[in-house]
Amino acid sequence: LTEAGQTGPIGAALTLWYPLRKDHGLAALLVAPEPVRGLSPQELALFPAVFSILGTALAFVLRKRHYARRLKQVRRAKIAWEGTVDALPQIVCVLDPEGIVIRVNRAVETWGLGSVSSPSFGNLHELLHPGCSDAACGLAARLTLAFSDCHGLEGHQFEYADAALGRELRIKIGCAKGSGLKDGGKPCARRFAVIEDLTLEQLARRRTLRQNLELRRTLEQHSEALSASHAHLREATSQLANTQEELEETRRRHRLVLENTNAGLLMVTEGRVAYCNARFEELLGYATGALAEAEMTDLLPPGCLAPQALLGPDGEPSPPQERVCEARRRDGSTLWLRISEVGFVAEGEPVRFITVTNVNEQILAEQAIRSSRRTLQRLSRCLISTQEEERKRIAGELHDGIGQGLSVLKLMLQNLAADQDEAGDGRVAGQLLASVCKTQEMIEDVRRLSMALRPAILDSGGVVLALTRLCREVGQLKRGLTAHLETRIQESEVDEALKIHLFRIVQEALNNVIKHAGARNVWVRLHRTDSGLKLEIEDDGVGFDLAQMQSPARGLGLSSMKQRASLQQGVLQITSQLGRGTTLCALWGSGGSAP
């Protein structure tokens, strides 16, 4: 080749070859652009030596570059292996031939046994039982036996329930393949250990075993129950025929009961008679079978039946509804019936079941009793009115007759006593004065009797003034007892016919307080409320048992007060407790009408 790049004849050429690793080699072609003189043998021998040095240097550079690439691959593989091993839940250890832990993955931190950066872990026992000083530790003995018995990758594997860790462990110790050398040049085979936590697995296994046992027991129980069910089914099948016969017999008996009962029975569907017994037809005066499919509105008045449905919101029967109404028989006569209805659902249709009882005699008897009570009440009113008139007459005669005569007698005795005293006969005068005092006492007794029979002040001053005087006399009749009267009513607000009854009720109540209550205070309140006229008598006495006092053997005081209240269409209530006094409350309507 020339300097100008033109092709020309080659003056001289030399080819050299230097082998490298495997099939590779270094080739060199030495050329001269112009013919050169011939080379001496020494010069020819120098070229291979120089080229050999150049090849050796180039091979070293290539080998160093290959080693660096392999080292990088090893480091990457190591990092990947460490990441994979650190991600494992098991503890993976690398042990030296003496059993000392050289390397451990990060599971040791997850288990709480230390850190991977710890300078020294000791052996496996010290790793798993930090600070354990028990010479008889079972884990240490098992690890020593396993370490001495491990050969190859299979090694030695065992399971151990460790109470110190609270875990069930599976430990495997084996020999790792390696080509390292010890200091003496002998090959060194390191060991590895894999420690796995089997606690959850054992729990799951035990749970599975328990479930299997429970399933087996359940299966046995179900088998026994199934056998018993088969036996019961056979027995039920054998009894079914007997039950059907009994059902037919029961139906026959029920039919006999329905047909022969004293009450009328009928079933109503969509307003028509679906069934009725002979007694119902007899009550309404129809022939047997004449009411089939009859309209209920033609048989009973509208007010006899319930206007609303007899079924609850969930389709269950509601409580029976009873009413008494007057029905008309076929011949036009009337009778009283007690009708009871219930509802139920039969084959998806609402059905009414009605029971009809003849209560005509009972209603007529009750009407007669009510009429008798009204007559008795009228007689009682007349009797009490007659008694009051008679008392008024007797009181007038006592006051105007005997009272006036005693007053005249008193004046005559006083005059005689004065005459005898002037005549100087003191003994006779003293006897006459004593007779005057006795006469005065008789006058007071007559006045008290007249007041008890018919207080004149009731007719002249009114009921309020009469009650005021009656309460004032209570303190005179019984010491230690005070009567308090509260009246917030005008005299014109009390009906004339009610005044005497109101006075007698207060008089009887105060007499009972004086005789039996042992009270220190009694309050008499008369006022008007929204409901009408209200009388209230309350004491702080010993009280009594109301049930015992209402018996006929205990007197007529309470019953007479109730009777007087009812004569003017009023009500009287008595409440009492032992040791807590007694309260009597009477209430009348406006001026004395029923409230």
Side-chain angles (χ1 to χ4, degrees):
L1 297 177
T2 64
E3 292 182 358
Q6 298 295 327
T7 303
I10 297 177
L14 179 63
T15 302
L16 298 176
W17 173 262
Y18 185 81
L20 298 178
R21 57 186 180 86
K22 293 186 179 181
D23 298 334
H24 300 82
L26 180 63
L29 176 64
L30 300 178
V31 297
E34 294 180 0
V36 295
R37 62 176 177 83
L39 298 177
S40 65
Q42 292 80 6
E43 291 175 343
L44 293 174
L46 180 63
F47 280 104
V50 173
F51 192 71
S52 176
I53 293 172
L54 180 62
T56 302
L58 183 60
F60 178 76
V61 171
L62 293 175
R63 193 161 46 247
K64 184 178 180 180
R65 185 176 297 173
H66 175 71
Y67 177 76
R69 187 167 56 251
R70 290 292 302 274
L71 182 61
K72 187 175 183 180
Q73 292 176 353
V74 170
R75 286 177 179 172
R76 289 179 179 175
K78 182 180 179 181
I79 293 173
W81 181 85
E82 289 179 349
T84 302
V85 173
D86 285 340
L88 295 176
Q90 300 90 352
I91 295 179
V92 180
C93 305
V94 179
L95 312 176
D96 65 3
E98 283 74 23
I100 302 301
V101 178
I102 302 173
R103 180 72 174 168
V104 66
N105 66 340
R106 291 191 178 275
V108 72
E109 297 178 353
T110 305
W111 287 36
L113 299 176
S115 174
V116 294
S117 61
S118 177
S120 175
F121 290 102
N123 54 23
L124 283 177
H125 175 251
E126 294 175 356
L127 174 67
L128 296 176
H129 285 182
C132 178
S133 59
D134 187 5
C137 181
L139 179 61
R142 293 296 302 273
L143 289 174
T144 301
L145 178 63
F147 192 81
S148 61
D149 193 35
C150 65
H151 302 287
L153 291 176
E154 296 298 330
H156 184 86
Q157 179 175 299
F158 66 93
E159 295 181 1
Y160 183 77
D162 191 358
L165 291 177
R167 302 171 184 261
E168 296 192 12
L169 307 177
R170 176 187 290 152
I171 302 176
K172 179 179 181 180
I173 302 177
C175 294
K177 293 182 179 180
S179 59
L181 297 177
K182 291 185 179 180
D183 295 339
K186 297 180 180 180
C188 173
R190 293 181 178 177
R191 292 174 172 81
F192 66 89
V194 179
I195 305 169
E196 184 179 359
D197 186 3
L198 300 180
T199 304
L200 297 179
E201 181 180 343
Q202 294 295 342
L203 290 176
R205 185 183 303 171
R206 294 191 189 100
R207 190 181 300 110
T208 303
L209 290 176
R210 287 196 301 269
Q211 290 176 353
N212 289 337
L213 291 177
E214 292 177 359
L215 183 60
R216 184 177 301 173
R217 286 195 296 267
T218 304
L219 183 60
E220 292 176 356
Q221 293 174 358
H222 287 179
S223 299
E224 294 176 358
L226 185 60
S227 300
S229 298
H230 282 301
H232 292 163
L233 183 60
R234 287 193 298 269
E235 183 179 356
T237 304
S238 63
Q239 292 178 354
L240 181 59
N242 297 332
T243 304
Q244 290 178 346
E245 294 179 0
E246 293 177 358
L247 180 60
E248 292 297 330
E249 180 65 20
T250 303
R251 287 177 177 174
R252 187 184 64 83
R253 293 177 181 177
H254 286 174
R255 191 177 298 110
L256 290 176
V257 171
L258 294 177
E259 292 298 332
N260 294 281
T261 184
N262 195 36
L265 305 175
L266 72 156
M267 293 174 57
V268 180
T269 304
E270 296 181 353
R272 292 182 174 272
V273 176
Y275 165 79
C276 66
N277 62 350
R279 177 57 178 167
F280 180 76
E281 295 172 332
E282 179 184 350
L283 287 175
L284 296 184
Y286 288 88
T288 303
L291 297 181
E293 297 296 327
E295 290 284 346
M296 284 301 301
T297 55
D298 298 336
L299 302 178
L300 298 175
C304 291
L305 301 177
Q308 71 276 11
L310 299 175
L311 294 177
D314 53 354
E316 293 295 327
S318 60
Q321 301 185 18
E322 284 193 2
R323 61 189 63 204
V324 176
C325 62
E326 187 177 15
R328 187 173 298 277
R329 306 180 76 229
R330 185 180 183 183
D331 56 3
S333 60
T334 60
L335 76 162
W336 289 92
L337 300 176
R338 176 180 285 113
I339 298 177
S340 175
E341 290 186 72
V342 294
F344 59 92
V345 176
E347 298 180 356
E349 295 292 334
V351 178
R352 287 184 172 187
F353 187 81
I354 303 174
T355 303
V356 179
T357 307
N358 186 1
V359 293
N360 196 57
E361 295 181 359
Q362 179 181 350
I363 295 299
L364 295 178
E366 291 177 356
Q367 292 176 350
I369 291 174
R370 286 194 294 269
S371 177
S372 299
R373 287 177 179 174
R374 287 192 295 269
T375 303
L376 181 60
Q377 191 173 20
R378 286 194 300 270
L379 292 176
S380 298
R381 188 180 294 110
C382 293
L383 178 60
I384 292 177
S385 178
T386 303
Q387 288 178 349
E388 292 298 334
E389 292 295 332
E390 185 66 18
R391 286 182 177 184
K392 183 177 181 180
R393 184 186 64 79
I394 295 174
E397 290 181 358
L398 284 174
H399 184 272
D400 298 336
I402 299 177
Q404 295 296 333
L406 290 175
S407 298
V408 172
L409 178 61
K410 175 185 173 183
L411 291 175
M412 293 174 62
L413 291 174
Q414 287 177 344
N415 293 331
L416 288 175
D419 294 342
Q420 293 297 325
D421 189 28
E422 291 177 357
D425 192 351
R427 184 179 63 81
V428 176
Q431 291 178 353
L432 290 173
L433 289 177
S435 299
V436 169
C437 293
K438 188 65 176 178
T439 304
Q440 181 63 35
E441 292 178 2
M442 294 176 64
I443 292 174
E444 294 296 332
D445 290 339
V446 169
R447 186 177 300 163
R448 190 179 302 108
L449 288 174
S450 176
M451 176 68 179
L453 288 172
R454 177 74 180 194
I457 193 173
L458 185 64
D459 298 323
S460 60
V463 67
V464 176
L465 189 59
L467 292 179
T468 303
R469 183 173 179 179
L470 183 62
C471 292
R472 186 170 59 248
E473 291 179 352
V474 169
Q476 300 174 0
L477 295 175
K478 184 174 179 62
R479 291 185 178 182
L481 177 61
T482 303
H484 308 274
L485 177 64
E486 300 176 11
T487 57
R488 296 190 299 273
I489 194 170
Q490 299 296 326
E491 186 70 27
S492 59
E493 296 182 75
V494 184
D495 189 78
E496 289 295 331
L498 179 62
K499 290 181 179 180
I500 184 61
H501 299 292
L502 194 150
F503 178 81
R504 293 300 184 193
I505 291 174
V506 175
Q507 186 181 41
E508 180 66 25
L510 292 178
N511 288 335
N512 290 336
V513 173
I514 293 172
K515 294 179 182 179
H516 310 293
R520 301 181 62 86
N521 294 279
V522 59
W523 293 269
V524 180
R525 305 181 185 94
L526 180 62
H527 55 89
R528 178 166 294 281
T529 64
D530 296 337
S531 301
L533 189 64
K534 184 176 182 180
L535 171 66
E536 190 174 14
I537 304 171
E538 180 182 1
D539 66 71
D540 57 358
V542 297
F544 58 89
D545 187 353
L546 189 61
Q548 294 180 358
M549 293 301 296
Q550 287 180 342
S551 61
R554 299 304 298 267
L556 301 176
L558 298 180
S559 60
S560 65
M561 286 190 289
K562 289 184 177 181
Q563 185 179 12
R564 283 186 177 273
S566 64
L567 286 177
Q568 295 297 319
Q569 290 75 41
V571 292
L572 185 141
Q573 294 180 347
I574 301 174
T575 58
S576 180
Q577 291 185 1
L578 293 176
R580 296 189 178 183
T582 303
T583 301
L584 181 148
C585 182
L587 184 64
W588 293 272
S590 177
S593 302

